[in-house]
Amino acid sequence: MMVYCSHLKSPIGTLLLSANETGLREINFPKNGCPTTPDPDWRNDDFALGEPIRQLLAYFAGDLEDFNLPLAPEGTRFQQDVWSELLKIPYGEKISYGELARRIGNPKASRAVGLANGSNPIPIIIPCHRVIGSNGKLTGYGGGLPIKEKLLGLEKRQLRLL
């Protein structure tokens, strides 16, 4: 199956998006300030990723709270369950890893939930940034804690990114 990709210059750095015919597969943050390089087999196609780009820009502008895109993240059944539950966290709200574990029916799995959360291939849209430590503090984020803080600030209407 052909994979399409496009770079999006965003207020949190240049993101690499990839999708196939099924839906959006990945959003990759820059590494060390440099955009992620696409797989050589992927085809650059801004048109194929036009709707995810449009919705992300609207989100960064504070004009979109709920994404409406076909998603195709690849992961284990457990990861898929965690990512599905992440999609249910309302815009502007935060929950703990323990609460997320309870919501998927496995209250003792907060560490495993944390690993699945950290493996989320479609951050922002699958809102793993809305999960925090049980003490209320921000914990790890694939894009770095400053980006997590910006996304949460945007959702609390305390910050504008565009």
Side-chain angles (χ1 to χ4, degrees):
M1 189 177 296
M2 177 57 68
V3 176
Y4 304 95
C5 67
S6 182
H7 282 100
L8 167 63
K9 290 183 181 173
S10 84
I12 58 170
T14 302
L15 305 173
L16 174 65
L17 285 68
S18 68
N20 59 24
E21 288 81 12
T22 307
L24 188 64
R25 293 178 38 165
E26 295 179 19
I27 295 176
N28 293 288
F29 291 109
K31 304 282 188 235
N32 300 318
C34 298
T36 304
T37 304
D39 185 288
D41 293 334
W42 295 357
R43 181 184 306 158
N44 189 47
D45 190 334
D46 295 339
F47 181 78
L49 287 144
E51 188 58 19
I53 289 170
R54 185 194 71 72
Q55 289 189 33
L56 282 164
L57 290 173
Y59 169 82
F60 291 131
D63 297 331
L64 180 78
E65 294 183 2
D66 297 306
F67 292 95
N68 183 16
L69 296 166
L71 304 178
E74 294 180 5
T76 66
R77 181 77 247 145
F78 181 79
Q79 289 172 326
Q80 296 282 346
D81 290 345
V82 170
W83 302 335
S84 291
E85 198 60 41
L86 289 171
L87 289 167
K88 298 175 187 174
I89 304 170
Y91 182 92
E93 292 188 18
K94 300 177 282 198
I95 66 169
S96 70
Y97 291 98
E99 175 60 22
L100 184 56
R102 281 189 289 283
R103 289 184 183 187
I104 65 163
N106 198 344
K108 295 183 183 209
S110 42
R111 285 184 189 245
V113 162
L115 289 172
N117 198 54
S119 299
N120 173 14
I122 310 176
I124 306 167
I125 293 172
I126 299 177
C128 53
H129 61 277
R130 297 179 188 155
V131 183
I132 59 172
S134 59
N135 60 2
K137 295 197 184 252
L138 300 186
T139 57
Y141 189 63
L145 289 181
I147 289 177
K148 184 172 188 166
E149 192 170 26
K150 282 182 181 180
L151 295 174
L152 292 171
L154 169 72
E155 292 186 10
K156 286 291 187 188
R157 308 279 189 222
Q158 298 168 337
L159 181 66
R160 287 196 52 85
L161 296 180
L162 286 180

